[in-house]
């Protein structure tokens, strides 16, 4: 919404949230304190905030004044009842629809920006159109394809924008209104229109395909470790085939983030609910492979440290699920830490953008052990060199660029020997580190 406000000074954008602390942070005088870290985002907010971009907790007022309402609330995996652990929890979406229906006095276009199961627009419409207040609503699907870490660039220069709407005249006119916003900075041919159901499903499918590529190369990484093939070489060799393409072929400790797992589980759940067992099983394997990769990484550390990490210090470089974001949702680091804590390791964490309370929150949320125990075995540092001091091993969990340029000799000198590095992102120069004296294990390389 900040980018829309930046690109369209003539449109007033009000972002509302029920979370007061979050809105207060978005309104913080110092734009560096906004709650989301994304390269370039603070500048966008600085430019538009107070001009045509506003952050508020007055949800009713914002709905009342708006001609177009974007629903961008969370749609997490259900943690209870039917579909637990698989389907999307649409509680917050429904609450939004009911609030919009209650407050609206004029016709509005409702845009689904959250990622939703296919046919959710039907439920939205059902709620909106049965309130009896005579207001007309058009529901559009406009899924968001940005990647965290490059969100601003992706929004300024997207591969495509997708808008799904009704084939009726009113539906097409609503689509046109949204096209006019994006067309202010995006070439018209990159704005695709479909029916609502194709648009809703396309978002789930896009994430499933992306995650599938990661799980595919990760599956091959394990085979490489047994066969002396090098996964980086295999990735380069297959990635130059224009039918395959070079992106999303980097082997790693596994994917994380709030979307991939949730959206695939959703796809699996929908397929299963239609009785499409083979389709569901096919996509579920992407998640199974990812869980295996995270676990395998942790267990390899244990194995390599002479089958015990009890009482040993392991330094984690990185906690965010990828570089250039402070988002840690479903980060591989959480699960690797959990496995190692089960083995009684002492974990020392450094991440350039993730704060200590988030790290403890992530682990406490797993409920594997008490918060007191997590506190006892984990220590968070603001200096990477201190985090690595007297460690038995270092694990790279996030591909932050700064890790490549550390003074690795200094780190080596202050570690216990043999000093081991487990590079879960294959970002370090293994040969250089070996020359210093490190024992290095990369993913997919024997
Ligand atoms: N994060 C991403 O990169 C990304 C990318 C594409 C799509 N999505 C989709 O966008 C949606 C939101 O994702 P997110 O990462 O921003 O989630 P989030 O949990 O960070 O933010 C959702 C916000 O909605 C607020 N909220 C909940 N109910 C509300 C209500 N009734 N009224 C007002 N505010 C309410 C919450 O307080 C929260 O701040 C999800 O469906 C997600 O799948 C996210």
């Amino acid at each position: 919404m900040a980018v829309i406000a930046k690109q369209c000074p003539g449109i007033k954008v009000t972002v509302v949230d029920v979370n007061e602390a979050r809105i207060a942070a978005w309104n913080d005088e110092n734009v560096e304190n906004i709650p989301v870290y994304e390269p370039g985002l603070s500048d966008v907010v600085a430019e538009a905030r107070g001009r045509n971009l506003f952050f508020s907790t007055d949800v009713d007022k914002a709905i009342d004044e708006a001609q177009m309402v974007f629903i961008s609330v969370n749609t997490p995996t259900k943690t209870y009842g039917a579909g637990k652990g698989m389907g999307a929890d649409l509680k917050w979406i429904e609450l939004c629809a009911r609030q919009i229906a209650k407050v609206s006095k004029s016709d509005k276009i409702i845009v689904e920006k959250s990622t939703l199961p296919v046919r959710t627009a039907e439920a939205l419409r059902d709620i909106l159109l049965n309130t009896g207040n005579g207001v007309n609503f058009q529901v559009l699907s406009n899924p968001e394809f940005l990647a965290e870490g490059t969100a601003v660039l992706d929004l300024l220069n997207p591969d495509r924008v997708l808008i799904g709407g009704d084939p009726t005249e009113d539906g097409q006119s609503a689509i046109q209104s949204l096209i006019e916003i994006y067309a202010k900075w995006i070439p018209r041919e990159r704005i695709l229109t479909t029916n609502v159901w194709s648009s809703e499903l396309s978002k789930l499918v896009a994430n499933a395909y992306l995650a599938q590529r990661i799980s595919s190369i990760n599956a091959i990484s394990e085979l490489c470790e047994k066969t002396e093939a090098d996964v980086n070489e295999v990735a380069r060799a297959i990635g130059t085939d224009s039918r395959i393409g070079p992106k999303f072929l980097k082997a790693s400790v596994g994917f994380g983030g709030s979307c991939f797992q949730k959206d695939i589980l959703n796809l699996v759940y929908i397929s299963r609910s239609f009785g499409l067992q083979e389709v569901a099983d096919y996509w579920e394997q992407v998640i199974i492979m990812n869980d295996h990769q995270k676990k395998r990484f942790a267990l390899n550390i244990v194995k390599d440290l002479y089958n015990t990490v009890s009482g040993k210090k392991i330094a984690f470089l990185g906690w965010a699920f990828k570089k250039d974001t402070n988002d840690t949702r479903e980060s591989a680091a959480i699960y690797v830490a959990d496995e190692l804590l089960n083995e009684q390791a002492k974990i020392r964490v450094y991440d350039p953008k993730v704060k200590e309370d988030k790290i403890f929150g992530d682990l406490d949320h797993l409920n594997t052990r008490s918060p007191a125990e997590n506190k006892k075995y984990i220590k968070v540092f603001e200096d990477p060199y201190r985090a690595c001091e007297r460690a038995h091993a270092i694990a790279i969990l996030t591909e932050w660029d700064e890790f490549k340029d550390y003074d690795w000799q200094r780190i080596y000198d202050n570690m216990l020997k043999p000093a081991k590095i487990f590079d879960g992102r294959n970002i370090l120069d293994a040969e250089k580190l070996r020359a210093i004296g490190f024992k290095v294990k990369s993913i997919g390389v024997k």
Side-chain angles (χ1 to χ4, degrees):
M1 299 320 293
V3 168
I4 290 179
K6 171 185 157 55
Q7 300 298 80
C8 311
I11 297 175
K12 180 180 172 191
V13 177
T14 309
V15 178
V16 287
D17 200 300
V18 288
N19 184 331
E20 287 179 11
R22 243 181 172 188
I23 289 298
W26 282 108
N27 279 323
D28 196 295
E29 218 166 293
N30 180 354
V31 283
E32 298 307 323
N33 293 337
I34 57 175
V36 172
Y37 172 73
E38 272 296 330
L41 181 57
S42 295
D43 294 340
V44 173
V45 171
E47 181 184 332
R49 198 175 61 184
R51 179 188 70 187
N52 63 326
L53 174 65
F54 303 91
F55 296 92
S56 159
T57 49
D58 195 343
V59 183
D60 282 357
K61 180 162 176 270
I63 293 172
D64 183 36
E65 289 177 357
Q67 290 155 289
M68 201 179 265
V69 180
F70 289 73
I71 302 184
S72 321
V73 299
N74 37 325
T75 50
T77 307
K78 245 184 124 178
T79 54
Y80 56 89
K84 178 179 170 178
M86 283 260 158
D89 193 341
L90 300 181
K91 190 162 71 183
W92 293 275
I93 291 285
E94 185 175 335
L95 283 171
C96 279
R98 290 192 185 281
Q99 191 166 6
I100 293 167
K102 192 177 92 194
V103 172
S104 297
K105 298 196 280 289
S106 56
D107 295 353
K108 296 186 196 306
I109 297 169
I110 309 302
V111 184
E112 295 179 344
K113 184 50 102 176
S114 297
T115 302
L116 294 166
V118 58
R119 296 210 78 85
T120 306
E122 199 164 57
L124 275 181
R125 222 174 268 151
D126 215 36
I127 294 166
L128 291 168
L129 296 179
N130 281 296
T131 49
N133 57 2
V135 171
N136 287 314
F137 294 101
Q138 274 300 319
V139 180
L140 299 179
S141 162
N142 173 219
E144 185 48 64
F145 294 103
L146 68 81
E148 289 187 31
T150 52
V152 173
L153 286 177
D154 294 346
L155 290 163
L156 288 172
N157 189 23
D159 288 341
R160 55 31 187 122
V161 165
L162 180 59
I163 303 173
D166 265 1
T168 58
E169 203 178 307
D170 286 350
Q172 293 303 303
S173 139
I175 288 180
Q176 199 49 43
S177 304
L178 189 52
I179 288 177
E180 276 164 27
I181 295 177
Y182 287 115
K184 293 250 189 312
W185 77 97
I186 296 162
R188 183 62 189 80
E189 63 275 14
R190 278 198 241 158
I191 305 175
L192 312 182
T193 57
T194 63
N195 74 33
V196 180
W197 324 121
S198 304
S199 171
E200 286 180 336
L201 186 59
S202 296
K203 173 63 191 174
L204 298 183
V205 174
N207 273 351
Y209 263 70
L210 292 170
Q212 176 264 119
R213 278 178 73 98
I214 300 175
S215 278
S216 295
I217 198 71
N218 282 344
I220 299 305
S221 76
E222 191 169 13
L223 188 57
C224 286
E225 288 166 29
K226 301 284 180 218
T227 57
E228 286 185 43
D230 177 328
V231 77
N232 303 304
E233 292 179 352
V234 174
R236 186 155 48 95
I238 65 166
T240 46
D241 185 325
S242 60
R243 294 166 302 177
I244 296 173
K247 291 184 181 169
F248 270 71
L249 281 182
K250 191 136 178 70
S252 71
V253 56
F255 61 77
S258 65
C259 292
F260 281 0
Q261 173 160 313
K262 157 176 90 72
D263 294 349
I264 295 176
L265 287 172
N266 211 334
L267 193 64
V268 171
Y269 182 67
I270 293 167
S271 303
R272 223 161 252 160
S273 68
F274 285 116
L276 309 179
Q277 204 54 41
E278 289 78 5
V279 178
D281 290 350
Y282 176 79
W283 288 109
E284 191 169 26
Q285 199 60 34
V286 174
I287 303 286
I288 293 170
M289 188 63 225
N290 195 50
D291 288 342
H292 171 68
Q293 189 77 349
K294 291 182 277 189
K295 189 162 183 143
R296 187 170 90 73
F297 183 76
L299 296 183
N300 273 343
I301 295 179
V302 177
K303 198 166 136 209
D304 216 73
L305 292 177
Y306 319 108
N307 284 318
T308 175
V309 289
S310 179
K312 291 182 182 167
K313 283 188 192 169
I314 299 173
F316 272 34
L317 294 183
W319 190 266
F321 85 93
K322 67 191 288 198
K323 73 172 180 179
D324 293 335
T325 175
N326 61 347
D327 196 342
T328 64
R329 290 176 287 182
E330 293 298 330
S331 177
I334 304 169
Y335 296 94
V336 173
D338 195 48
E339 282 291 336
L340 294 175
L341 289 171
N342 283 342
E343 300 283 337
Q344 301 180 343
K346 290 180 174 169
I347 296 178
R348 309 297 190 232
V349 186
Y350 166 77
D351 186 287
K353 289 290 172 194
V354 181
K355 302 244 161 48
E356 177 168 334
D357 55 345
K358 218 174 199 181
I359 293 172
F360 284 114
D362 289 337
L363 282 165
D364 294 347
H365 186 71
L366 290 182
N367 250 330
T368 313
R369 62 194 72 71
S370 69
E373 275 177 298
N374 283 331
K375 275 250 149 58
K376 193 167 146 199
Y377 288 106
I378 294 226
K379 224 171 153 175
V380 180
F381 290 81
E382 288 189 0
D383 172 1
Y385 295 96
R386 289 267 335 276
C388 296
E389 251 168 42
R390 300 200 55 75
H392 292 74
I394 294 172
I396 308 289
L397 274 307
T398 313
E399 72 280 24
W400 286 103
D401 289 332
E402 66 172 60
F403 298 164
K404 297 180 204 167
D405 303 323
Y406 284 172
D407 181 348
W408 285 100
Q409 182 69 54
R410 177 179 160 198
I411 291 176
Y412 178 80
D413 291 343
N414 292 319
M415 279 178 70
L416 295 188
K417 309 295 177 322
K420 305 204 168 190
I421 295 190
F422 299 89
D423 186 354
R425 298 286 178 170
N426 288 0
I427 54 163
L428 300 180
D429 184 339
E431 285 319 308
K432 218 163 108 190
L433 293 174
R434 284 192 187 109
I436 294 173
F438 281 107
K439 306 262 184 240
V440 185
K441 273 254 155 94
S442 311
I443 302 271
V445 187
K446 200 169 184 191

